[in-house]
Amino acid sequence: MPTDKFTSRKKSLIALAAAALVGAAGAGAITSHALLQDRAQTVANASATGPNGTAAPLNPTPSTAAATTPATVTLPDFSRITDQRGPGVVNISVTGTTKTSGNGSPFQGMDPDDPVFQFFKRFGGIPQQQGPSETPMRGQGSGFIVSSDGVILTNAHVVKDAKDVTVKLTDRREFKAKVIGTDPKTDVAVIKIDAKDLPYLPLGNTRDLKVGEWVLAIGSPFGFENTVTAGVVSAKGRSLPDDSYVPFIQTDVAVNPGNSGGPLFNARGEVVGINAQIYSRTGGYQGVSFAIPIEVATKVRDQILKTGKASHARLGVVIQEVNQAFADSFKLDKPEGALVSSVEKGGPADKAGLKAGDVIRKVDGQPIVASGDLPALIGQASPGSQITMEVWREGRQQTLNARLGDASDKAAQVAKADDGAEQGKLGLALRPLQPDEKREAGVDGGLLIQDTGGPAATAGLQAGDVLVAVNGTPVKSVEQVRELIGKSSKSVALLIQRDGQKIFVPVRLG
């Protein structure tokens, strides 16, 4: 459910683990392009650890200083934060195997002058590798200690497929680590080393984190251990393509492959996030990086330490972004909310009375601005909990209550829509569905689209699609469609079923 326009969507989001694949002919370092299955107050001074492990200010805050010397601006002392917090950051090395397609020769890439290559070429032919195979893999990432007995937080993609995990401390000691559990939905992993009296990092919160506030990252980009970079919070609550559970912190801190799993600090030296992804067209840092909020990570940590796994709630809907065309169609004052394109039969949303065409605008009083806000909010709730939703239906606001299910039962879906409709007439040729066609499509009503032209064709509608509803109203006749379109001024939202899947498509009217 993307909430931002990314020029190059999937290939631009780069997980930050630095990895290397080792083939039959040798090793070569490559940047991991693992795509994920898809946020500061006035500058504060650095701090020391207080008596209870909390961060206590070392110097007067800028607001206090400003009262006496309004012309003076004091930058955070990053050296103090690094000196005090650095020992709690670790380097993580992993070895394991990754599955490959296996099509081709196991000697692919080998020097043609190699004696082994020449032997097979002359006497037996080059053997072809059939079926999937496992290829040795090495990788590096970062992490940070959260308890003195060796519990460490990192990214799930750092330890994915790992057979051996080695943790290196700043004092150069190395430990074999055990993966306690991973949660791919949030990209958080918990590992543990057998050690005592370790330095651990104080955790902050993102509620007090402000856009423009200074933040600091420590990690191992490209294997360069204990590298420190700084920047500011660019945005909060970002939803990324292919990610449904994390409201990311966006920063301009320079992070690169190998920074994955490392901490993001505020200016008081508290951990506020886990560095996880970058937006890049080159595979390296280009000014946009994303961190998992520490509240998300600690919730996952607590669940994994208690049960060995993390759980997330599920509403049971397929949703779409609300653009201006949809806002006009549904008579919304502004293009905000999550448009429901289909509801899972018998699921939590269905039981709550949610319908296709509803626009979810608030959950428990929290606004749903972009569609990605909904799954990020629902995913952090506990299965079985009850929520209250403010829903826009047929030009009126309604309130619905739902008891959430478990995301492990069935993954939520996100509809992908082409929002490139143009101005012009509707351009649809329709006819009623025959009884056998209704049974095959699994619908009670609807009209078959026989032909398309003009803006309907431009919007992506095709002959054979089934028109289920117009602006959220189920349709059963051509005359009803004409009437509904006649009442629309700028655009209409057509609910289309194709190959068993439903999606709203906006079509501009002339």
Side-chain angles (χ1 to χ4, degrees), residues 14 29 31 59 117 123 137-138 146 154 162 177 190 223 293 367 398 410 413 451 466 494:
I14 312 297
T31 301
N59 300 311
F117 183 90
F123 301 106
M137 175 272 295
R138 292 196 297 265
V146 293
T154 186
V190 180
Q398 298 188 19
K410 184 175 182 179
Q413 293 177 296
D451 195 13
V466 176
L494 306 182

PDB file of all heavy atoms in Angstrom, residues 14 29 31 59 117 123 137-138 146 154 162 177 190 223 293 367 398 410 413 451 466 494:
ATOM      1  N   ILE A  14      16.041  -0.846  -0.836  1.00  0.00           N
ATOM      2  CA  ILE A  14      17.139  -1.769  -0.642  1.00  0.00           C
ATOM      3  C   ILE A  14      17.274  -2.115   0.832  1.00  0.00           C
ATOM      4  O   ILE A  14      17.430  -1.243   1.672  1.00  0.00           O
ATOM      5  CB  ILE A  14      18.467  -1.162  -1.137  1.00  0.00           C
ATOM      6  CG1 ILE A  14      18.287  -0.566  -2.544  1.00  0.00           C
ATOM      7  CG2 ILE A  14      19.580  -2.183  -1.086  1.00  0.00           C
ATOM      8  CD1 ILE A  14      17.918  -1.572  -3.586  1.00  0.00           C
ATOM      9  N   ALA A  29      31.866 -10.215  -3.637  1.00  0.00           N
ATOM     10  CA  ALA A  29      30.969  -9.442  -2.793  1.00  0.00           C
ATOM     11  C   ALA A  29      29.947  -8.720  -3.637  1.00  0.00           C
ATOM     12  O   ALA A  29      30.281  -8.088  -4.619  1.00  0.00           O
ATOM     13  CB  ALA A  29      31.772  -8.432  -1.966  1.00  0.00           C
ATOM     14  N   THR A  31      26.056  -6.406  -3.273  1.00  0.00           N
ATOM     15  CA  THR A  31      25.112  -5.760  -2.380  1.00  0.00           C
ATOM     16  C   THR A  31      23.811  -6.519  -2.392  1.00  0.00           C
ATOM     17  O   THR A  31      23.291  -6.857  -3.442  1.00  0.00           O
ATOM     18  CB  THR A  31      24.851  -4.316  -2.829  1.00  0.00           C
ATOM     19  OG1 THR A  31      26.087  -3.623  -2.827  1.00  0.00           O
ATOM     20  CG2 THR A  31      23.880  -3.618  -1.888  1.00  0.00           C
ATOM     21  N   ASN A  59      23.836  18.930  29.619  1.00  0.00           N
ATOM     22  CA  ASN A  59      23.890  20.385  29.594  1.00  0.00           C
ATOM     23  C   ASN A  59      22.485  20.936  29.501  1.00  0.00           C
ATOM     24  O   ASN A  59      21.535  20.215  29.206  1.00  0.00           O
ATOM     25  CB  ASN A  59      24.703  20.847  28.377  1.00  0.00           C
ATOM     26  CG  ASN A  59      26.127  20.311  28.419  1.00  0.00           C
ATOM     27  OD1 ASN A  59      26.799  20.425  29.417  1.00  0.00           O
ATOM     28  ND2 ASN A  59      26.538  19.694  27.307  1.00  0.00           N
ATOM     29  N   PHE A 117      38.021 -27.418 -15.384  1.00  0.00           N
ATOM     30  CA  PHE A 117      37.136 -27.035 -16.485  1.00  0.00           C
ATOM     31  C   PHE A 117      37.547 -27.760 -17.765  1.00  0.00           C
ATOM     32  O   PHE A 117      36.714 -28.303 -18.492  1.00  0.00           O
ATOM     33  CB  PHE A 117      37.188 -25.516 -16.672  1.00  0.00           C
ATOM     34  CG  PHE A 117      36.262 -24.997 -17.743  1.00  0.00           C
ATOM     35  CD1 PHE A 117      34.967 -24.623 -17.437  1.00  0.00           C
ATOM     36  CD2 PHE A 117      36.689 -24.883 -19.063  1.00  0.00           C
ATOM     37  CE1 PHE A 117      34.124 -24.141 -18.424  1.00  0.00           C
ATOM     38  CE2 PHE A 117      35.848 -24.423 -20.050  1.00  0.00           C
ATOM     39  CZ  PHE A 117      34.551 -24.040 -19.724  1.00  0.00           C
ATOM     40  N   PHE A 123      36.566 -34.616 -21.685  1.00  0.00           N
ATOM     41  CA  PHE A 123      36.246 -36.022 -21.484  1.00  0.00           C
ATOM     42  C   PHE A 123      34.793 -36.298 -21.072  1.00  0.00           C
ATOM     43  O   PHE A 123      34.313 -37.414 -21.243  1.00  0.00           O
ATOM     44  CB  PHE A 123      37.190 -36.623 -20.424  1.00  0.00           C
ATOM     45  CG  PHE A 123      38.631 -36.521 -20.803  1.00  0.00           C
ATOM     46  CD1 PHE A 123      39.461 -35.597 -20.190  1.00  0.00           C
ATOM     47  CD2 PHE A 123      39.159 -37.320 -21.792  1.00  0.00           C
ATOM     48  CE1 PHE A 123      40.794 -35.497 -20.538  1.00  0.00           C
ATOM     49  CE2 PHE A 123      40.494 -37.222 -22.157  1.00  0.00           C
ATOM     50  CZ  PHE A 123      41.316 -36.306 -21.530  1.00  0.00           C
ATOM     51  N   MET A 137      26.469 -18.655   1.283  1.00  0.00           N
ATOM     52  CA  MET A 137      26.198 -17.234   1.408  1.00  0.00           C
ATOM     53  C   MET A 137      26.901 -16.691   2.653  1.00  0.00           C
ATOM     54  O   MET A 137      26.960 -17.357   3.685  1.00  0.00           O
ATOM     55  CB  MET A 137      24.681 -17.012   1.509  1.00  0.00           C
ATOM     56  CG  MET A 137      24.251 -15.561   1.779  1.00  0.00           C
ATOM     57  SD  MET A 137      24.174 -15.137   3.541  1.00  0.00           S
ATOM     58  CE  MET A 137      22.841 -16.203   4.075  1.00  0.00           C
ATOM     59  N   ARG A 138      27.469 -15.499   2.516  1.00  0.00           N
ATOM     60  CA  ARG A 138      28.017 -14.779   3.659  1.00  0.00           C
ATOM     61  C   ARG A 138      27.411 -13.387   3.681  1.00  0.00           C
ATOM     62  O   ARG A 138      27.134 -12.805   2.628  1.00  0.00           O
ATOM     63  CB  ARG A 138      29.543 -14.671   3.578  1.00  0.00           C
ATOM     64  CG  ARG A 138      30.280 -15.988   3.727  1.00  0.00           C
ATOM     65  CD  ARG A 138      31.763 -15.734   4.023  1.00  0.00           C
ATOM     66  NE  ARG A 138      32.409 -15.028   2.919  1.00  0.00           N
ATOM     67  CZ  ARG A 138      33.069 -15.652   1.950  1.00  0.00           C
ATOM     68  NH1 ARG A 138      33.126 -16.969   1.928  1.00  0.00           N
ATOM     69  NH2 ARG A 138      33.661 -14.959   0.994  1.00  0.00           N
ATOM     70  N   VAL A 146      20.425  -4.918  24.072  1.00  0.00           N
ATOM     71  CA  VAL A 146      19.318  -4.311  24.817  1.00  0.00           C
ATOM     72  C   VAL A 146      19.204  -4.849  26.240  1.00  0.00           C
ATOM     73  O   VAL A 146      18.334  -4.417  26.993  1.00  0.00           O
ATOM     74  CB  VAL A 146      17.983  -4.504  24.064  1.00  0.00           C
ATOM     75  CG1 VAL A 146      17.979  -3.708  22.772  1.00  0.00           C
ATOM     76  CG2 VAL A 146      17.700  -5.984  23.788  1.00  0.00           C
ATOM     77  N   THR A 154      18.224  -6.804  15.906  1.00  0.00           N
ATOM     78  CA  THR A 154      18.743  -6.546  14.568  1.00  0.00           C
ATOM     79  C   THR A 154      17.596  -6.698  13.581  1.00  0.00           C
ATOM     80  O   THR A 154      16.430  -6.819  13.976  1.00  0.00           O
ATOM     81  CB  THR A 154      19.918  -7.499  14.228  1.00  0.00           C
ATOM     82  OG1 THR A 154      20.480  -7.121  12.973  1.00  0.00           O
ATOM     83  CG2 THR A 154      19.467  -8.946  14.170  1.00  0.00           C
ATOM     84  N   ALA A 162      20.518 -17.870   7.793  1.00  0.00           N
ATOM     85  CA  ALA A 162      21.833 -17.985   8.427  1.00  0.00           C
ATOM     86  C   ALA A 162      21.981 -19.332   9.132  1.00  0.00           C
ATOM     87  O   ALA A 162      21.084 -19.779   9.854  1.00  0.00           O
ATOM     88  CB  ALA A 162      22.043 -16.853   9.425  1.00  0.00           C
ATOM     89  N   ALA A 177      26.184 -16.503  18.148  1.00  0.00           N
ATOM     90  CA  ALA A 177      24.867 -16.052  18.586  1.00  0.00           C
ATOM     91  C   ALA A 177      23.790 -17.055  18.204  1.00  0.00           C
ATOM     92  O   ALA A 177      23.903 -17.762  17.195  1.00  0.00           O
ATOM     93  CB  ALA A 177      24.544 -14.689  17.991  1.00  0.00           C
ATOM     94  N   VAL A 190      15.481 -11.132  16.974  1.00  0.00           N
ATOM     95  CA  VAL A 190      16.093 -11.151  18.301  1.00  0.00           C
ATOM     96  C   VAL A 190      17.120 -12.271  18.324  1.00  0.00           C
ATOM     97  O   VAL A 190      16.797 -13.425  18.019  1.00  0.00           O
ATOM     98  CB  VAL A 190      15.051 -11.380  19.407  1.00  0.00           C
ATOM     99  CG1 VAL A 190      15.734 -11.396  20.782  1.00  0.00           C
ATOM    100  CG2 VAL A 190      13.973 -10.307  19.363  1.00  0.00           C
ATOM    101  N   GLY A 223      30.866  -3.254   5.884  1.00  0.00           N
ATOM    102  CA  GLY A 223      31.806  -3.941   6.759  1.00  0.00           C
ATOM    103  C   GLY A 223      32.697  -3.029   7.564  1.00  0.00           C
ATOM    104  O   GLY A 223      33.516  -3.512   8.358  1.00  0.00           O
ATOM    105  N   PRO A 293      10.479   2.077  13.941  1.00  0.00           N
ATOM    106  CA  PRO A 293      10.316   2.715  15.261  1.00  0.00           C
ATOM    107  C   PRO A 293      10.615   1.733  16.389  1.00  0.00           C
ATOM    108  O   PRO A 293      10.278   0.547  16.319  1.00  0.00           O
ATOM    109  CB  PRO A 293       8.839   3.135  15.268  1.00  0.00           C
ATOM    110  CG  PRO A 293       8.486   3.278  13.822  1.00  0.00           C
ATOM    111  CD  PRO A 293       9.269   2.216  13.110  1.00  0.00           C
ATOM    112  N   PRO A 367      -6.390   9.255  12.732  1.00  0.00           N
ATOM    113  CA  PRO A 367      -6.737   9.475  11.323  1.00  0.00           C
ATOM    114  C   PRO A 367      -5.999   8.517  10.401  1.00  0.00           C
ATOM    115  O   PRO A 367      -4.827   8.208  10.602  1.00  0.00           O
ATOM    116  CB  PRO A 367      -6.298  10.925  11.071  1.00  0.00           C
ATOM    117  CG  PRO A 367      -6.185  11.545  12.426  1.00  0.00           C
ATOM    118  CD  PRO A 367      -5.770  10.438  13.341  1.00  0.00           C
ATOM    119  N   GLN A 398     -20.234   6.852   9.326  1.00  0.00           N
ATOM    120  CA  GLN A 398     -20.773   5.836  10.214  1.00  0.00           C
ATOM    121  C   GLN A 398     -19.679   5.336  11.135  1.00  0.00           C
ATOM    122  O   GLN A 398     -18.487   5.481  10.850  1.00  0.00           O
ATOM    123  CB  GLN A 398     -21.366   4.670   9.416  1.00  0.00           C
ATOM    124  CG  GLN A 398     -22.525   5.049   8.510  1.00  0.00           C
ATOM    125  CD  GLN A 398     -23.195   3.833   7.902  1.00  0.00           C
ATOM    126  OE1 GLN A 398     -23.044   2.714   8.392  1.00  0.00           O
ATOM    127  NE2 GLN A 398     -23.955   4.051   6.840  1.00  0.00           N
ATOM    128  N   LYS A 410      -4.488 -15.642   7.752  1.00  0.00           N
ATOM    129  CA  LYS A 410      -4.553 -15.302   6.331  1.00  0.00           C
ATOM    130  C   LYS A 410      -3.998 -13.914   6.145  1.00  0.00           C
ATOM    131  O   LYS A 410      -4.433 -12.964   6.798  1.00  0.00           O
ATOM    132  CB  LYS A 410      -6.002 -15.361   5.818  1.00  0.00           C
ATOM    133  CG  LYS A 410      -6.117 -15.115   4.314  1.00  0.00           C
ATOM    134  CD  LYS A 410      -7.555 -15.301   3.851  1.00  0.00           C
ATOM    135  CE  LYS A 410      -7.672 -15.096   2.346  1.00  0.00           C
ATOM    136  NZ  LYS A 410      -9.036 -15.289   1.864  1.00  0.00           N
ATOM    137  N   GLN A 413      -4.427  -8.359   2.053  1.00  0.00           N
ATOM    138  CA  GLN A 413      -4.054  -8.048   0.688  1.00  0.00           C
ATOM    139  C   GLN A 413      -4.168  -6.544   0.437  1.00  0.00           C
ATOM    140  O   GLN A 413      -4.924  -5.846   1.093  1.00  0.00           O
ATOM    141  CB  GLN A 413      -4.965  -8.776  -0.302  1.00  0.00           C
ATOM    142  CG  GLN A 413      -4.805 -10.288  -0.281  1.00  0.00           C
ATOM    143  CD  GLN A 413      -5.789 -10.938  -1.225  1.00  0.00           C
ATOM    144  OE1 GLN A 413      -6.993 -10.862  -1.050  1.00  0.00           O
ATOM    145  NE2 GLN A 413      -5.256 -11.572  -2.247  1.00  0.00           N
ATOM    146  N   ASP A 451     -17.329  -4.034 -24.138  1.00  0.00           N
ATOM    147  CA  ASP A 451     -16.344  -3.258 -24.893  1.00  0.00           C
ATOM    148  C   ASP A 451     -16.025  -1.985 -24.128  1.00  0.00           C
ATOM    149  O   ASP A 451     -16.851  -1.505 -23.317  1.00  0.00           O
ATOM    150  CB  ASP A 451     -16.879  -2.921 -26.287  1.00  0.00           C
ATOM    151  CG  ASP A 451     -15.761  -2.448 -27.226  1.00  0.00           C
ATOM    152  OD1 ASP A 451     -14.587  -2.618 -26.865  1.00  0.00           O
ATOM    153  OD2 ASP A 451     -16.086  -1.920 -28.315  1.00  0.00           O
ATOM    154  N   VAL A 466     -16.232  -7.524 -15.004  1.00  0.00           N
ATOM    155  CA  VAL A 466     -17.589  -7.415 -14.465  1.00  0.00           C
ATOM    156  C   VAL A 466     -17.684  -6.131 -13.655  1.00  0.00           C
ATOM    157  O   VAL A 466     -16.903  -5.916 -12.722  1.00  0.00           O
ATOM    158  CB  VAL A 466     -17.949  -8.627 -13.586  1.00  0.00           C
ATOM    159  CG1 VAL A 466     -19.330  -8.434 -12.954  1.00  0.00           C
ATOM    160  CG2 VAL A 466     -17.923  -9.906 -14.404  1.00  0.00           C
ATOM    161  N   LEU A 494     -15.534   2.927 -10.205  1.00  0.00           N
ATOM    162  CA  LEU A 494     -16.146   1.686 -10.670  1.00  0.00           C
ATOM    163  C   LEU A 494     -15.493   0.502  -9.980  1.00  0.00           C
ATOM    164  O   LEU A 494     -14.279   0.331 -10.037  1.00  0.00           O
ATOM    165  CB  LEU A 494     -15.981   1.552 -12.182  1.00  0.00           C
ATOM    166  CG  LEU A 494     -16.469   2.737 -13.038  1.00  0.00           C
ATOM    167  CD1 LEU A 494     -16.275   2.422 -14.510  1.00  0.00           C
ATOM    168  CD2 LEU A 494     -17.929   3.060 -12.736  1.00  0.00           C
TER     169      LEU A 494
END
